[in-house]
Amino acid sequence: MNTIGDLPELRALDSRKNLIRIPGQQDIPVTDRVRRLIDSQAFQRLAKITQLGLVSFVYPGATHTRFEHSLGVYRNALFFLRRLSADRRFADVVSPRDAELLIAAALLHDIGHYPFCHPIEDMQIDGVPSHEILARYWIEHTSLADRLSEDWHIESKSLLALLSGETGTAAGRVLGSILSGPIDIDKMDYLYRDSLHAGVPYGMHYDQQRLIGSLCLDLESPGIAITEKGRTAAELMVFARYVMFSEVYWHHAVRSATAMFQRVFFEFHRSLDLDLLFRCSEQDFVAQ
């Protein structure tokens, strides 16, 4: 391939074949190599782990999964790459191989998540592994490692370095800012998706298309930036995140349920097989 635009996933954006439809009337293009990642056991388990956990006690519709969210983040990665590839400065820093790494990372960015991992990790209990450690297990010691190598020519350590923000190259820092930054593909999906499923408008009140259309490369960071035309959309996205925390993620009843869950887990975690528990579906986790 000669350019980022030649990547099969970007070409598939305009195709009406091999699509997965997710809420929000969003079509997800699925190439053969993307399908093989999605079909892995590691990725399929995300279909049984909800994105917001205890939030559904307050907003009953908020039962969407990390599987759905991961597909949405992958879709955003494609739109970011299509826009940024038109920026000569970006193309000079980020190669098509780097872009492939971003696409795989977008799909697998939540691969280490287990049920209720954020409330559990917030307690910082000794001996309780983080989801980053579990991500290393799933990426290095399952079929994902072979699929990444054979289909994408990506080494597990390169993907893990990008996911953990430990890349030292200019391209790695740019990709890292797309994955995790003030304006990133993760926030852009979860704000919209969480708002959609919770039945509230707060996370959708900013212009995604204008924001993506204003993306450019910041040569000093290096990382992504926006032009002046995207300023209002960016400010509204930041405010949307603030309101989603205020009204959804940190709703007083959600925080109450979280505190009760944390108390129960703290009291019983020493008697649990955490290695097994953190590989369970959410339903099996509760049953344990």
Side-chain angles (χ1 to χ4, degrees):
M1 69 196 70
N2 296 319
T3 67
I4 291 174
D6 292 327
L7 293 173
E9 289 72 31
L10 266 72
R11 293 201 307 269
L13 268 177
D14 298 319
S15 171
R16 298 307 303 169
K17 298 179 180 179
N18 301 319
L19 299 173
I20 296 176
R21 173 62 67 95
I22 62 175
Q25 299 182 30
Q26 295 177 344
D27 289 328
I28 312 299
V30 180
T31 60
D32 288 342
R33 60 182 183 173
V34 165
R35 184 179 300 279
R36 283 190 282 272
L37 291 180
I38 291 174
D39 286 345
S40 67
Q41 178 189 0
F43 197 91
Q44 286 294 315
R45 59 184 279 278
L46 298 180
K48 298 179 180 179
I49 299 175
T50 58
Q51 175 77 5
L52 295 182
L54 298 167
V55 169
S56 62
F57 279 98
V58 178
Y59 297 98
T63 56
H64 54 299
T65 65
R66 296 219 171 251
F67 183 97
E68 179 187 327
H69 165 64
S70 296
L71 293 178
V73 174
Y74 155 67
R75 177 177 179 270
N76 284 342
L78 300 184
F79 284 120
F80 269 53
L81 286 172
R82 183 160 71 176
R83 163 57 191 166
L84 288 166
S85 64
D87 185 332
R88 183 182 299 274
R89 297 171 301 172
F90 180 84
D92 288 341
V93 176
V94 176
S95 69
R97 288 296 184 196
D98 295 324
E100 287 181 305
L101 180 61
L102 176 66
I103 292 171
L107 268 173
L108 302 177
H109 78 286
D110 271 356
I111 202 68
H113 277 260
Y114 54 86
F116 313 110
C117 71
H118 287 306
I120 291 172
E121 289 184 356
D122 286 347
M123 290 188 285
Q124 300 181 346
I125 301 173
D126 289 341
V128 176
S130 67
H131 68 274
E132 288 87 0
I133 292 176
L134 291 177
R136 183 174 298 277
Y137 164 77
W138 289 112
I139 291 172
E140 289 188 334
H141 302 293
T142 69
S143 63
L144 280 178
D146 293 334
R147 296 178 191 194
L148 287 168
S149 176
E150 294 169 4
D151 296 340
W152 301 78
H153 307 291
I154 291 174
E155 295 183 359
S156 298
K157 63 180 181 181
S158 299
L159 182 63
L160 288 166
L162 177 57
L163 291 176
S164 62
E166 297 176 354
T167 57
T169 65
R173 290 193 291 273
V174 172
L175 299 182
S177 71
I178 294 174
L179 273 174
S180 180
I183 298 170
D184 63 45
I185 56 179
D186 185 23
K187 293 184 186 69
M188 190 169 284
D189 183 77
Y190 76 63
L191 288 174
Y192 171 81
R193 196 160 308 286
D194 295 350
S195 183
L196 175 69
H197 285 282
V200 298
Y202 316 122
M204 297 185 281
H205 280 177
Y206 67 97
D207 192 336
Q208 280 197 19
Q209 289 186 339
R210 190 168 186 84
L211 190 53
I212 293 175
S214 73
L215 293 171
C216 60
L217 183 68
D218 181 354
L219 291 176
E220 296 184 4
S221 300
I224 58 167
I226 57 170
T227 64
E228 182 64 26
K229 290 184 178 181
R231 178 178 175 181
T232 299
E235 291 173 343
L236 288 172
M237 179 180 174
V238 172
F239 186 68
R241 186 169 182 264
Y242 163 76
V243 179
M244 284 296 287
F245 269 93
S246 173
E247 301 300 319
V248 178
Y249 308 138
W250 288 350
H251 186 284
H252 64 91
V254 174
R255 296 174 71 180
S256 177
T258 299
M260 289 188 282
F261 170 83
Q262 289 175 321
R263 180 67 181 184
V264 170
F265 184 86
F266 180 80
E267 291 292 337
F268 289 98
H269 76 276
R270 293 183 182 85
S271 62
L272 299 172
D273 183 345
L274 297 182
D275 186 63
L276 174 62
L277 193 66
F278 291 166
R279 289 167 175 76
C280 285
S281 67
E282 195 162 298
Q283 183 177 1
D284 290 340
F285 184 103
V286 174
Q288 295 290 330

